[in-house]
Amino acid sequence: MAKLTLNDVTKVYDDAEGTETAVDEASVTVEDGEFLVLVGPSGCGKSTTLRMIAGLETVTEGTVEIGDREVQYLAPSERDVAMVFQSYALYKRMTARQNMGYGLKHSTDMSAEERNRRVRESAELLGIEELLDDKPEAMSGGQKQRVALGRAIVRDPDVFLLDEPLSNLDAKLRSHMRTELQRIQSDLDVTAVYVTHDQTEAMTMADRIAIMNDGVVQQVAPPEVAYDHPNNKFVGAFLGSPSMNTFDAVARGDGDGDAYAIDVDGITLGKVPRGAVEDNIDGESVCFGIRPEDLHLDNLSDDVTDVCQFPATVTITEYQGNDNFVYLDVGDRSLTARVPPGVYPDSGDEVTVRIAAEDVFLFDPETTESIKTRGVGNEHIDTQPITRS
Ligand code: ADP
């Protein structure tokens, strides 16, 4: 077990098609025993980052440290990391037992007895003792994935690296394996970096998430902090489903002077106490954000003060089971609300939408950085700077 540190890690691909910076000065520390999830849209540099940690890809600039060793120039086998891939990458002709023991047999001088003991223990941990004599072709996707995990676990690595390991599984199994993986990681108390493009997977599994976009780490924080206090609009909109509603808006000091009205096309969609925003934004352009669950149709407690309300027309309500999505028109804009199951307005209904000041997000329209996050004070904003060369 060990702490993993990336210092300004950069990867530039330079090939016939030109030069591309896939990862731009990524700096992340994963504490000993921590489960960090690297998340972001396809092509944002997650796999490249993971492969640089594993040693499967060279580092153009920066350092990778495992414990107190700099490892960026070491071969993968010298780094004490184990990687699990989406494709399982099992040897077809070998049984589960042989697949799991293969790395130990060929890269250590461990006795056959010790090897077998480790394979047996890992198989128990994963609940696959019965599969040990089977070959991959006789296994389901979930079973193959467990064998692939077992092969990583037997090596008792310092750092466990997982690249979209659950994407080939069906939804039900994926959700089951998510829980299993968390249990295993916590039982083993191993430092883990898990790559996924699926924000739900990231939010549910991680101790902390590192959100990447366009090669740049945007924020590293516990899921609930990133969700409620995103550093910028990208993080705010990437986390959460349906996505945060965002609109270009103008902040206007309202009549009594102690709040800003946030106007979108002349309609006030939010009111924010002046004290919730550091600088004076009177008359300034802002980007207004509101999460679907914070648009209240008839379910906001009367105790909530600082509420802004406006009329909207329901275009459609989608039944979801444990809640409903209501699509609303306000002027020329469309908003998505997520409401409790009992709230099911018909298409064409005129409704009153209420928004509490504490739920309003504001972003700088130019830099996209947060001006106001959840709450009416800004004390929780993680001000970790984003570097871009
Ligand atoms: P992600 O895992 O987030 O989907 P990747 O790390 O695979 O993203 O890719 C990041 C960027 O680097 C992408 O634009 C991709 O096209 C580019 N890239 C990845 N591998 C190579 C390579 N071997 N050669 C050139 N460009 C690459």
Side-chain angles (χ1 to χ4, degrees):
M1 276 194 300
K3 175 164 143 177
L4 166 72
T5 313
L6 308 187
N7 293 310
D8 293 333
V9 170
T10 297
K11 176 69 190 183
V12 180
Y13 286 111
D14 198 355
D15 53 29
E17 287 163 30
T19 301
E20 180 177 355
T21 304
V23 179
D24 196 356
E25 299 187 355
S27 292
V28 180
T29 299
V30 192
E31 298 297 337
D32 196 351
E34 185 178 28
F35 196 131
L36 182 104
V37 177
L38 258 182
V39 65
S42 182
C44 73
K46 307 178 293 292
S47 294
T48 303
T49 305
L50 202 72
R51 293 170 65 81
M52 286 193 284
I53 301 170
L56 301 173
E57 203 69 75
T58 56
V59 170
T60 310
E61 269 183 69
T63 60
V64 179
E65 290 166 30
I66 296 178
D68 49 14
R69 289 193 307 160
E70 262 191 30
V71 300
Q72 70 273 14
Y73 301 119
L74 299 182
S77 60
E78 293 171 277
R79 296 190 185 197
D80 217 354
V81 300
M83 188 148 165
V84 179
F85 301 90
Q86 178 182 351
S87 60
Y88 318 132
L90 297 176
Y91 297 108
K92 286 199 181 89
R93 295 207 176 81
M94 293 185 193
T95 62
R97 188 191 311 278
Q98 288 166 329
N99 263 291
M100 286 167 69
Y102 186 82
L104 295 180
K105 187 171 179 183
H106 292 277
S107 62
T108 69
D109 51 9
M110 195 177 283
S111 69
E113 198 184 332
E114 169 67 4
R115 213 163 58 221
N116 283 332
R117 186 183 64 78
R118 285 221 199 169
V119 168
R120 224 176 25 249
E121 279 180 8
S122 303
E124 268 171 39
L125 181 74
L126 291 158
I128 52 169
E129 299 99 310
E130 272 97 71
L131 295 180
L132 283 176
D133 294 315
D134 291 349
K135 291 189 177 158
E137 61 187 7
M139 296 176 200
S140 68
Q143 290 171 331
K144 283 185 218 172
Q145 189 53 273
R146 277 169 202 261
V147 175
L149 281 169
R151 189 177 47 185
I153 290 170
V154 288
R155 296 183 44 205
D156 191 18
D158 272 344
V159 179
F160 208 23
L161 304 173
L162 303 112
D163 193 358
E164 306 246 4
L166 306 184
S167 0
N168 285 353
L169 306 180
D170 65 48
K172 190 163 168 228
L173 191 55
R174 196 157 65 222
S175 136
H176 176 68
M177 281 302 284
R178 252 188 231 156
T179 325
E180 275 281 85
L181 261 178
Q182 280 171 283
R183 176 187 66 78
I184 293 162
Q185 190 268 343
S186 144
D187 281 0
L188 295 172
D189 202 20
V190 64
T191 309
V193 182
Y194 183 104
V195 159
T196 180
H197 64 275
D198 178 345
Q199 55 98 15
T200 311
E201 213 163 277
M203 298 289 276
T204 52
M205 296 179 83
D207 292 325
R208 285 187 308 152
I209 48 179
I211 302 110
M212 289 186 79
N213 187 34
D214 205 10
V216 179
V217 176
Q218 307 287 316
Q219 185 164 4
V220 186
E224 64 280 10
V225 173
Y227 189 76
D228 283 343
H229 307 290
N231 275 353
N232 55 36
K233 182 178 166 188
F234 176 82
V235 175
F238 184 78
L239 300 178
S241 176
S243 284
M244 182 186 275
N245 300 283
T246 57
F247 303 104
D248 291 336
V250 175
R252 185 170 51 77
D254 72 357
D256 58 12
D258 58 4
Y260 294 108
I262 310 299
D263 292 352
V264 175
D265 299 337
I267 303 172
T268 302
L269 296 194
K271 281 198 179 144
V272 172
R274 278 180 184 269
V277 178
E278 206 167 309
D279 296 324
N280 183 351
I281 53 168
D282 202 352
E284 303 271 331
S285 295
V286 289
C287 173
F288 164 77
I290 186 81
R291 293 204 178 277
E293 67 269 29
D294 297 326
L295 291 171
H296 302 278
L297 301 191
D298 64 359
N299 54 336
L300 183 64
S301 155
D302 287 336
D303 299 342
V304 179
T305 52
D306 278 340
V307 174
C308 175
Q309 64 178 50
F310 52 87
T313 309
V314 174
T315 46
I316 200 155
T317 300
E318 268 178 15
Y319 177 70
Q320 297 284 327
N322 52 356
D323 49 18
N324 296 322
F325 298 161
V326 182
Y327 299 91
L328 300 159
D329 279 346
V330 179
D332 293 338
R333 307 293 182 138
S334 299
L335 288 103
T336 306
R338 177 181 198 143
V339 298
V343 183
Y344 197 98
D346 288 330
S347 299
D349 277 2
E350 297 293 327
V351 293
T352 298
V353 180
R354 297 199 290 161
I355 291 178
E358 62 181 47
D359 298 330
V360 170
F361 290 78
L362 297 176
F363 305 100
D364 183 311
E366 275 167 32
T367 66
T368 78
E369 280 172 23
S370 290
I371 299 174
K372 177 196 177 296
T373 60
R374 199 184 291 282
V376 283
N378 262 349
E379 63 278 11
H380 297 298
I381 292 191
D382 175 353
T383 49
Q384 171 192 303
I386 297 166
T387 50
R388 186 190 281 277
S389 51

